[in-house]
Amino acid sequence: MYQHRVLFWGIVGALVLRGLMIAVGAVLITKFSWIIYVFGGFLIITGIKMLLVPSGEASSLDRTLLVRATGGCSR
């Protein structure tokens, strides 16, 4: 019954948040030119991490640092 509404607002929320992140990133790059190296380093580290994860292994939420720090997924 609520599937369409939840999907619609989820997509709208994702678009708004993506636009907000792009705008904040653009402002940061304009004010602090050195931050582009931080963003680039983040992309390189993320790319290396993606290369090193075996292709058959699915990412598990209960192994992430944030989930472990907050008490984890209780199954």
Side-chain angles (χ1 to χ4, degrees):
M1 179 172 155
Y2 296 112
Q3 181 180 4
H4 175 69
R5 182 180 296 172
V6 170
L7 184 61
F8 174 77
W9 287 111
I11 292 172
V12 169
L15 290 173
V16 168
L17 288 175
R18 182 169 292 183
L20 184 66
M21 288 294 180
I22 291 171
V24 168
V27 168
L28 285 174
I29 289 173
T30 312
K31 290 189 182 272
F32 311 106
S33 62
W34 54 266
I35 204 157
I36 200 158
Y37 297 112
V38 175
F39 291 159
F42 176 73
L43 287 175
I44 290 171
I45 291 170
T46 304
I48 291 171
K49 185 177 176 182
M50 288 176 67
L51 279 173
L52 296 178
V53 172
S55 61
E57 182 180 330
S59 157
S60 180
L61 285 178
D62 56 351
R63 292 188 312 206
T64 62
L65 179 63
L66 181 65
V67 173
R68 285 186 286 145
T70 57
C73 296
S74 56
R75 293 180 189 217

